[in-house]
Structures are given as C-alpha cells and as structure tokens.
Amino acid sequence: MAKQWQGKTRGGVLGHRIFVFILKSSGLPLAYFFLRFVAFYFFVSAKSTPGVYRYFREVHGYSKTRAVWSTYLNYHVFGKTLLDKVALLSGVKTNFTVNHEGGQHLEELAAMGKGGILISGHIGNWEVAGQLLNRLQTRFNILMYENDHEQMNRYMQGVLKEKKFHVIGIRDGDMSHLVELHKAFANNELVVMHGDRFREGTKTLETEFFGRKARFPAGPFVMAAKFGVPLIIVFAVKETNKRYHFYAAPPIDVARTRNEAQLEVMVQELLVKYVAEFEKMVRAYPLQWFNYYDFWK
C-alpha cells in the first residue's frame, strides 16, 4: 500500500474509453458485468491491496476470509461508483434515485448568502447525489489538486457533458485558487472539498480516528475560518445499484478568525466535528471508504 497519497488516481485513458463505449452502447448492467473482472485484476495486482486488507482486519475486526472478500468488494463498489458518475454526467440514461437526509440544511446554507464549504470524504460518491440536487440555484465548485494525468483530464472533460460543477485546481507554488475561492463565496456559491486526504508537506491536524491517532488536512477548516464562511458536512453513499443516500449535517456558521490563536482553536473544533461524522459514516458503510494509501502511517 502506498505510504502517502500522491494526489492522483491510477488508471488509463484506454480503459476509460472502453467503459464509456460500453455505457453508451449497452448501459450500466453490461458495464457492471465487465467490472467484476477489472475489480479482480486490481485486487490481485494493486499495491494498495495489503493495506485495504489490514483496514478490514484491524479497524473493523473482520475474519481473514471476510477481510479478503471485503477487499475485493471494495474495489468492485469503487468501480461501480465511477461508472455511475460517468454514466450520469455523460448523458447516459439512468434511473438513479436519491434518498435525501438533511437536504434542508443545504437550503439553510444557501439562505445565509455567504457561500459555503461542503466537506465530504472519499466514501461513496457525492457527485452522483450532488448532480441530482436540483433544489439549489447555485453553482458547485470542486477544489482539487491538479495531477499529471492531463490526457485523462482532457478526455473526461469531453465525456462529462452534463456536469453542473466547476473545478478549481490547486497547483504547486500557485495561490491563484484563493482568488477563485473568494469569487465563489462572494457569488454565494458552494465549494466542495474532501477532508480525508492530504499531500506530504501540507499542513495537517491530528486527532483520533477509530481509536488511533491520524492526520487530516487542515486546508478545509483553515479556509472556512479565514474566509468566515459556513461549513456543512455531507456524504453520499451507494445503497443499491439504483439508489444513493445523501446525508447533510446542519451548517456550522464559522466566524472569521482575526489571529492565529483564534484560528488554531477554530480549526481543531471543526476537525473534531468532521471526524465524528466521518467515522460514523465509515462504520455504517465500511466497503465504501475508498482509501488506497496508509492512512495511519
């Protein structure tokens, strides 16, 4: 298993082209069928497999047999969520339904008029449920690291014709994303960030996660405090092949911090609230935490 996250996802353009062709010509059922073999390939070949196995054995206490099977299922469900996203955002006909829990909290957030941060994690697939949230008349922005898969990025930009979100890229040594964030919040837009991955060299915060000390990125919480925008914890998990469950916690109205002492206290409070919700979700849906590096390194 990788010792740290590299800021990029494994996969090639050819494989994506094949699955997009299957999706558009035959739909999700056939793509799901072929996915079984792809998931098995990653199960036997990926460097992350031993770490995923340990996650099920040590964190969830599974037996050896159940941990092996769950490791395979983790890759399989991950592939399904990717196919779901591509199918929905590329215009392929789908019959997805979303069970909304706390959807009114997003309306409360929009009514504040400050914009806001939606913080999620690499569990389930918030993009599928988020794409179906038509009740909010505002734009979603995704803040993510740019990586070296430029060919893949260009290809997927051409495929995802139905997307309703804007990507704000973070580039090493470049602070231009802060300008875009300021504009987004000023326009009462929402910025989606993940709170469970970080790059080595970036600021992190430490707290207990499943009874063990773990590091989390400070960025989402620092931005909420420095911009003085509300923060809301959201997750979307896959319940069946056709149904997702979207969960949103009540918004946290974050006061803009004026000094480093206030900032330190605020970000730690926000982290504790986030990790409590995140751990609860991972316990409920252990197969859907798609974490492929050594989180408790």
Side-chain angles (χ1 to χ4, degrees), residues 38 130 148 168:
V38 176
D148 58 355
I168 299 177

Side-chain angles (χ1 to χ4, degrees), residues 54-62 210 212 282-283 296:
R54 288 196 302 272
Y55 156 71
F56 287 113
R57 282 281 286 160
E58 298 173 9
V59 174
H60 295 287
Y62 288 1
F210 282 96
R212 310 174 186 198
V282 174
R283 285 189 187 277
W296 285 274

Side-chain angles (χ1 to χ4, degrees), residues 61-118:
Y62 288 1
S63 67
K64 292 181 179 179
T65 302
R66 186 181 180 187
V68 169
W69 179 238
S70 296
T71 300
Y72 165 76
L73 289 179
N74 178 260
Y75 288 119
H76 191 219
V77 177
F78 178 51
K80 281 187 172 183
T81 63
L82 292 179
L83 288 174
D84 292 350
K85 178 178 69 173
V86 174
L88 182 67
L89 303 186
S90 62
V92 174
K93 184 179 180 180
T94 63
N95 296 311
F96 294 137
T97 60
V98 180
N99 176 31
H100 296 108
E101 180 180 351
Q104 73 276 12
H105 298 316
L106 293 176
E107 296 172 349
E108 295 171 19
L109 183 66
M112 291 181 180
K114 301 179 181 179
I117 293 176
L118 274 59

